[in-house]
Amino acid sequence: MATFFGSPPFPSHPISRTNRLCSSPQAPPPQQPTQPTPSQKLSATSAEPPSAATVKVQEEKASKPAIPARVESTDWIASTLTRRFGLGAGLAWVGFLAVGVISEQIKTRLEVSQEAADTRDVEKEEEVILPNGIRYYDLRVGGGASPRPGDLVVLDVKAKLQDSDEVLIDTFGGDRKPLALVMGSRPYSKGICDGVENVLRTMKAGGKRRVIIPPNLCFGEEGADLGSGVQIPPSATLEYIIEIDKVSIAPA
């Protein structure tokens, strides 16, 4: 044909074809590394085992004894005064407390000394008859305080039937313990009765009286059982020896 049209023949080049495997999939693009979130960092950190230094610190904290709570006292006043006004103010406060304690001790000793000075024995017994029928004789006039309602009275008591030598109660002498009575409290015990409390109101600490109490202010028409085989017969008139050892404020 080239010669037929009078033109030079076309060069003939072989066509090359690239063999592709259509059945094989394309490779996925590489993924960019993602940054962990703060919560993931925290969980990863907590999951890591503790280091040797951390374990040592924890052991030292566990081995330290617990610090006791600060005891409230007046020491903070002295420390505050010392910080604000100097050492002299703190020492002055400590001295004030010391003077207060010493003054209370001196006051107590003076009261005891005054009570002893004002206590005197009676040279001649005189009978005093009260409107309620109680009769008493002062053996010693006390110089201390008089009992008031609610006060604690420590006293020695000796009781017997009138015109009889049979002793029912006796706390005087030896290793016997005195009785204790809170003024106005009920019920009575240890042989104490209304008549005894009535007499105590007009006595003072250190005083001593012989008292005769009628049945209506004693144990009445029924009498009483004081225990340990001690019986007070019905309608009995009792004779007491009463001595006040101490008068104080009853504990709360």
Side-chain angles (χ1 to χ4, degrees):
M1 288 182 67
T3 57
F4 179 80
F5 288 98
S7 59
F10 291 103
S12 177
H13 297 285
I15 298 175
S16 60
R17 296 183 179 178
T18 303
N19 295 327
R20 296 181 180 179
L21 298 177
C22 297
S23 61
S24 62
Q26 297 182 355
Q31 297 181 356
Q32 296 294 332
T34 58
Q35 296 294 333
T37 61
S39 59
Q40 292 175 345
K41 289 182 179 180
L42 181 60
S43 60
T45 304
S46 60
E48 293 179 358
S51 61
T54 305
V55 173
K56 184 177 180 181
V57 171
Q58 293 177 353
E59 291 179 352
E60 289 179 355
K61 291 182 178 180
S63 61
K64 289 182 179 180
I67 299 176
R70 182 173 63 89
V71 179
E72 294 294 337
S73 66
T74 57
D75 293 343
W76 68 272
I77 301 179
S79 61
T80 303
L81 291 175
T82 302
R83 288 194 302 268
R84 295 194 61 182
F85 305 105
L87 182 60
L91 293 176
W93 173 255
V94 175
F96 173 76
L97 293 179
V99 170
V101 173
I102 294 174
S103 62
E104 286 296 326
Q105 294 177 351
I106 294 175
K107 180 181 178 182
T108 302
R109 293 180 180 179
L110 288 176
E111 290 176 350
V112 173
S113 300
Q114 188 67 32
E115 177 182 331
D118 293 342
T119 300
R120 57 183 178 82
D121 291 332
V122 177
E123 297 179 359
K124 182 181 179 181
E125 296 182 14
E126 295 182 359
E127 183 182 60
V128 177
I129 302 176
L130 300 178
N132 54 17
I134 294 177
R135 295 179 292 157
Y136 71 82
Y137 306 82
D138 277 321
L139 306 178
R140 184 188 306 124
V141 177
S146 296
R148 296 175 298 179
D151 283 348
L152 175 65
V153 181
V154 180
L155 67 159
D156 283 306
V157 173
K158 182 178 180 180
K160 67 182 187 69
L161 296 175
Q162 187 183 26
D163 302 328
S164 173
D165 295 332
E166 181 184 358
V167 177
L168 305 175
I169 306 168
D170 189 2
T171 65
F172 287 92
D175 56 351
R176 300 168 185 173
K177 296 181 179 180
L179 303 182
L181 168 69
V182 177
M183 297 293 290
S185 66
R186 299 291 186 276
Y188 296 119
S189 62
K190 306 288 186 180
I192 302 298
C193 59
D194 287 335
V196 171
E197 183 176 6
N198 193 296
V199 169
L200 290 175
R201 295 170 187 161
T202 57
M203 294 181 66
K204 293 184 177 181
K208 187 176 183 179
R209 278 180 182 175
R210 181 167 68 92
V211 185
I212 298 174
I213 303 176
N216 62 317
L217 293 175
C218 211
F219 295 97
E221 298 178 355
E222 297 180 358
D225 182 3
L226 302 183
S228 302
V230 179
Q231 296 283 340
I232 296 179
S235 303
T237 299
L238 298 185
E239 181 177 334
Y240 283 85
I241 302 294
I242 301 173
E243 181 177 2
I244 298 181
D245 294 334
K246 184 179 180 182
V247 177
S248 62
I249 298 176

